[in-house]
Amino acid sequence: MASPGDRRANALQISLVHFLFNISGILLWYPVPCTRIPIRLAKGLGNVTASHRCLSLAGRSVLVGVGAPLLTMLLIILLINILQKRKPVFLPPGLRSWSFLPLWARSLDPWDRVVEVFTAMCCCWCKCCHLAAAVEQERPEQRAAEREQQERQQRGGHEPCDVGRDAGGNETEIEERV
């Protein structure tokens, strides 16, 4: 893969998401001939585009039929978000937060758990996941070493190296300059 070692698990996860998205699209639209609507629409749009170059991006009806509802929905969501943050009293009690939506519609956590299951299945045979897991296991040790170094710097460069006894017989740390 063409990604750094510490990001390979994330790269693998997003590639699995794309793969599963494509497979689910194939399983949804291709098996039954009467459900091949997107294929017929794509062929029809291609024929129209071939005969009328001015409609090369999309037909007006497609743009209005798909774009207008999406734009309207985006504007409504944006308006609700702004009102939730600035003037929540203008909203009905049910719209003051997104808690009325199911968890899968307001958070990516459930979807992330599903993808992690597939990633966990992959890790039995995938070397890049084993490398990412090893990097994750090394991090706490690195953090502890970094903390020790910061504490040393806060003490002014003094590092305890031995324990001795003072004139009263009490144990004291003997410090040396690093």
Side-chain angles (χ1 to χ4, degrees):
M1 288 191 185
S3 64
D6 61 337
R7 294 189 187 144
R8 284 197 176 161
N10 292 337
L12 182 63
Q13 186 175 12
I14 200 66
S15 66
L16 282 172
V17 168
H18 282 102
F19 174 73
L20 293 172
F21 178 80
N22 290 335
I23 294 298
S24 64
I26 291 169
L27 293 175
L28 180 66
W29 297 110
Y30 194 72
V32 182
C34 66
T35 63
R36 295 181 188 168
I37 297 167
I39 297 171
R40 282 190 228 123
L41 289 175
K43 284 182 181 178
L45 187 59
N47 292 335
V48 169
T49 304
S51 60
H52 304 289
R53 294 287 178 186
C54 61
L55 300 175
S56 61
L57 293 177
R60 176 176 268 166
S61 60
V62 172
L63 188 61
V64 171
V66 174
L70 286 177
L71 184 63
T72 304
M73 185 175 63
L74 277 172
L75 290 175
I76 289 171
I77 291 171
L78 183 66
L79 178 67
I80 291 173
N81 275 332
I82 291 171
L83 287 174
Q84 282 177 344
K85 289 179 183 169
R86 296 191 179 171
K87 301 281 185 181
V89 292
F90 288 167
L91 291 171
L95 285 178
R96 291 183 183 165
S97 73
W98 293 110
S99 61
F100 69 92
L101 291 173
L103 183 62
W104 60 266
R106 60 185 153 100
S107 173
L108 291 176
D109 286 338
W111 300 111
D112 195 35
R113 280 188 240 122
V114 169
V115 172
E116 284 176 357
V117 166
F118 285 105
T119 305
M121 286 181 204
C122 168
C123 287
C124 332
W125 53 272
C126 183
K127 291 180 183 177
C128 66
C129 293
H130 292 295
L131 292 174
V135 168
E136 287 294 325
Q137 289 175 352
E138 291 175 4
R139 286 188 182 160
E141 297 167 3
Q142 290 175 347
R143 290 183 190 135
E146 290 171 0
R147 272 192 234 115
E148 288 176 14
Q149 185 178 10
Q150 288 175 353
E151 289 172 3
R152 230 180 285 129
Q153 290 173 351
Q154 288 174 352
R155 287 190 302 247
H158 295 283
E159 184 174 334
C161 67
D162 199 4
V163 176
R165 299 203 179 266
D166 62 3
N170 300 326
E171 287 187 358
T172 59
E173 291 182 353
I174 301 171
E175 296 181 350
E176 290 183 7
R177 267 284 193 217
V178 178

Coordinates of all heavy atoms in Angstrom, one line a residue, residues 135 137-148:
V135 N 2.7 -0.9 16.3 CA 2.9 0.5 16.5 C 2.1 1.0 17.7 O 2.5 1.8 18.5 CB 2.7 1.3 15.2 CG1 2.6 2.8 15.5 CG2 3.7 1.0 14.2
Q137 N 1.0 -0.7 20.2 CA 1.5 -1.3 21.4 C 2.7 -0.6 21.9 O 3.0 -0.5 23.1 CB 1.8 -2.8 21.3 CG 0.5 -3.6 21.2 CD 0.8 -5.1 20.9 OE1 1.9 -5.4 20.7 NE2 -0.3 -5.9 21.0
E138 N 3.5 0.0 21.0 CA 4.8 0.7 21.3 C 4.5 2.1 21.9 O 5.2 2.6 22.6 CB 5.7 0.8 20.1 CG 6.3 -0.5 19.6 CD 7.1 -0.3 18.4 OE1 7.2 0.8 17.9 OE2 7.6 -1.3 17.9
R139 N 3.4 2.6 21.5 CA 3.1 4.0 21.9 C 3.0 4.2 23.4 O 3.6 5.2 23.9 CB 1.8 4.5 21.3 CG 2.0 4.8 19.8 CD 0.7 5.4 19.2 NE 1.0 5.6 17.8 CZ 0.0 5.8 16.9 NH1 -1.2 5.8 17.3 NH2 0.3 5.9 15.6
P140 N 2.4 3.4 24.2 CA 2.4 3.7 25.7 C 3.8 3.7 26.2 O 4.2 4.5 27.1 CB 1.6 2.5 26.3 CG 0.7 2.0 25.2 CD 1.5 2.3 23.9
E141 N 4.7 2.8 25.7 CA 6.1 2.8 26.2 C 6.8 4.1 25.8 O 7.6 4.7 26.5 CB 6.9 1.6 25.6 CG 6.3 0.3 26.1 CD 6.8 -0.9 25.3 OE1 7.7 -0.7 24.4 OE2 6.4 -2.0 25.5
Q142 N 6.5 4.6 24.5 CA 7.1 5.9 24.1 C 6.6 7.0 24.9 O 7.3 7.9 25.3 CB 6.8 6.1 22.6 CG 7.5 5.2 21.7 CD 7.0 5.4 20.2 OE1 6.0 6.0 20.0 NE2 7.7 4.8 19.3
R143 N 5.3 7.0 25.3 CA 4.7 8.1 26.1 C 5.4 8.1 27.5 O 5.6 9.2 28.0 CB 3.2 7.9 26.2 CG 2.5 8.2 24.9 CD 1.0 8.1 25.1 NE 0.3 8.1 23.8 CZ -0.6 7.3 23.5 NH1 -1.1 6.4 24.3 NH2 -1.2 7.4 22.3
A144 N 5.6 6.9 28.1 CA 6.3 6.9 29.4 C 7.7 7.4 29.3 O 8.1 8.2 30.2 CB 6.3 5.4 29.9
A145 N 8.4 7.1 28.2 CA 9.8 7.6 28.1 C 9.7 9.1 27.9 O 10.6 9.9 28.4 CB 10.4 7.0 26.9
E146 N 8.7 9.6 27.1 CA 8.6 11.1 26.9 C 8.3 11.8 28.2 O 8.8 12.9 28.5 CB 7.5 11.4 25.9 CG 7.9 11.0 24.4 CD 6.8 11.1 23.5 OE1 5.6 11.4 23.9 OE2 7.0 10.8 22.3
R147 N 7.4 11.2 29.0 CA 7.1 11.8 30.3 C 8.3 11.9 31.2 O 8.5 12.9 31.9 CB 6.0 10.9 31.0 CG 4.6 11.4 30.6 CD 3.5 10.7 31.6 NE 2.6 10.1 30.7 CZ 2.3 8.8 30.6 NH1 2.9 8.0 31.4 NH2 1.4 8.3 29.8
E148 N 9.1 10.8 31.3 CA 10.3 10.8 32.1 C 11.2 11.9 31.6 O 11.8 12.6 32.4 CB 11.0 9.4 32.0 CG 10.3 8.3 32.7 CD 11.0 7.0 32.5 OE1 12.1 7.0 32.0 OE2 10.4 6.0 32.8

